[in-house]
Amino acid sequence: MSNTKYIFVTGGVLSSLGKGISSSSLATLLKQSGYKVNILKIDPYINIDPGTMSPLEHGEVFVTADGAETDLDIGHYERFLNTSLSKGNNFTTGQVYLSVIENERKGNYLGKTIQVVPHIVDEIKSRIKAVGKGYDFLVIELGGTVGDIEGLPFLEAMRQLKHELPNTQVLSIHVTLIPLIRAAGELKTKPTQHSVQELRRIGITPQIIIARSEKPLSKDLKKKLAMSCDVADDSVIEALDAKSIYQCPLNFLKEGILTPIARHFAIAPIKPDVSEWDMLVKKIISPKDEITIAFVGKYLHLKESYKSLTEALIHAGANIDTRVCIKWIDSEALEHTQGAELGDVDGILIPGGFGSRGIGGKILAIRYAREHKVPFLGICLGMQLSIIEFARNVLGIEKADSTEFAPDTSHPFIYLIEDFIDQCGKSQVRTIKSPMGGTMRLGEYECVLRPQSKIAAAYNHAKVVKERHRHRYEANPAYRSLLEENGMQISGESKSGLIEAIELEKHPFFIGVQFHPEFTSRLQAPNPIILAFVKKILESKGATQKSR
Ligand code: GLN
């Protein structure tokens, strides 16, 4: 029998309480204590994956190295645990039902009646065990809130696992909210009591309560919560709103969360080494320097859809003791103001994106960065547009475009990846055909860097790097020599010759990358190209201040 210890994290009272951050924080503390830890997010929705879900509903789609389009919590897990996860670290109700139904179609159940209990629940349990295999701990975050109809099969799987395994192998943590009633200045425990009662009705008694709150919980209130939720007095963990999410592991540690965990699992005291983490958090909270980057995007009311990128800027900043302030600029609005908002920023960043809305504003920002020699990083769509801007304004090819926005353009500098598959042979490119149309290049690819280029220097003169992709369109190699002859270098390409990175020779830092460097950035290991960008900005800002 496997000895993996399972820690289930459920949520009560409200959604968006930070179960993902709580799960990541706990897993981080265990990992920093020398344990082998894996982590799993279960999403109770029926979609097969979040790839086709609107960012309006779902925030960012995070892409794993093996090309899965997953929930944004997987991004938090990777950033906290400093590790690459895979498609197995996230599953949905839809995926569970799909396997069970496929098995039924194949006759694997020998004609039995297929039911939620046992078949769906068994499938859930076997998936959980598969992810835990070979690890000391598996932290399982159950999406949604206790009481949701769609979460029931997962809670039943959790109950059954607890029944099947020794008591010292399964622990349940409930994350809840202690609301503050402002008029009375009082913190209220009743919603938490109800939520725990609901869990108990299903046969689950949590051992630890993580209580989110705006105000510190008094000793008496903690005692009252412990009593009413039937947990030990030391097992109510206060989780105050933090200045940075990366403070949470440290706060949990201070609150003593590891004591009841070690006790429940009957293991020696758990002692994490958080010295490096602590130092980085201090640099996030009170850094020495500050820079401002223009972030020119179109989902600005939805900052969650750029989560990995904003976190990557925090990581890079922390590593050079600098706060990276973001000036959010709506690309559509920029067209009307002709770029006036760009005058006071230290660097310009164009993130990935889809569709034609706001393209003009982004191209305007790219031109500004190129002409004013402002440090610039273009990611995915950002790289594609910097090629188009160069073609239009430097090469004078006004009609230069992407077939994404102008399908019949006479100058397709950016074109559909399907064309390229035909040219270089399908076997070299890992893609998925989406039922929504088009073919996405997804997941990790090798990128060969041109020696002596700025991007190679950013990656410490590596010859080949691995980064993750999520796009349909590609830079058209037919224009390669035209670009290079005029000062835009192709500084990175895939082994099959796809253009992966560009840079301008006569510019202090103007780099575009077809991949998404933000997906591999972690607090303890910032992404090299984002780090180089931020460093360059700090350096040029210092130089301008000195020359004043
Ligand atoms: N829309 C572009 C494409 O599909 C860029 C995508 C992106 O920026 N992720 O190729």
Side-chain angles (χ1 to χ4, degrees), residues 222-329:
K222 276 189 169 179
K223 240 188 143 74
K224 180 176 162 194
L225 260 174
M227 164 70 87
S228 59
C229 299
D230 203 19
V231 301
D233 283 355
D234 65 358
S235 302
V236 174
I237 305 300
E238 165 189 289
L240 291 176
D241 300 345
K243 283 205 180 93
S244 157
I245 53 173
Y246 300 103
Q247 253 181 326
C248 294
L250 304 171
N251 292 351
F252 281 3
L253 186 62
K254 259 190 239 140
E255 276 289 293
I257 196 169
L258 297 176
T259 308
I261 292 180
R263 187 172 65 229
H264 180 84
F265 288 133
I267 55 175
I270 308 170
K271 294 201 170 106
D273 174 3
V274 291
S275 47
E276 189 201 2
W277 193 276
D278 191 38
M279 186 193 73
L280 289 166
V281 169
K282 285 199 176 96
K283 290 184 177 167
I284 294 177
I285 293 172
S286 42
K288 221 165 69 208
D289 289 301
E290 190 171 295
I291 56 173
T292 302
I293 291 181
F295 193 115
V296 187
K298 69 168 176 181
Y299 308 115
L300 298 192
H301 50 299
L302 289 168
K303 305 214 167 81
E304 288 283 286
S305 57
Y306 299 114
K307 196 75 195 162
S308 292
L309 191 45
T310 52
E311 292 302 313
L313 292 170
I314 294 174
H315 304 159
N319 278 268
I320 56 165
D321 213 350
T322 298
R323 173 168 293 124
V324 180
C325 304
I326 295 178
K327 179 165 181 182
W328 296 96
I329 298 181

Side-chain angles (χ1 to χ4, degrees), residues 96 99-100 103 118-128:
V96 170
S99 337
V100 170
N103 278 332
H119 301 96
I120 296 294
V121 171
D122 282 352
E123 173 68 23
I124 296 170
K125 284 191 293 181
S126 82
R127 281 174 179 249
I128 294 175

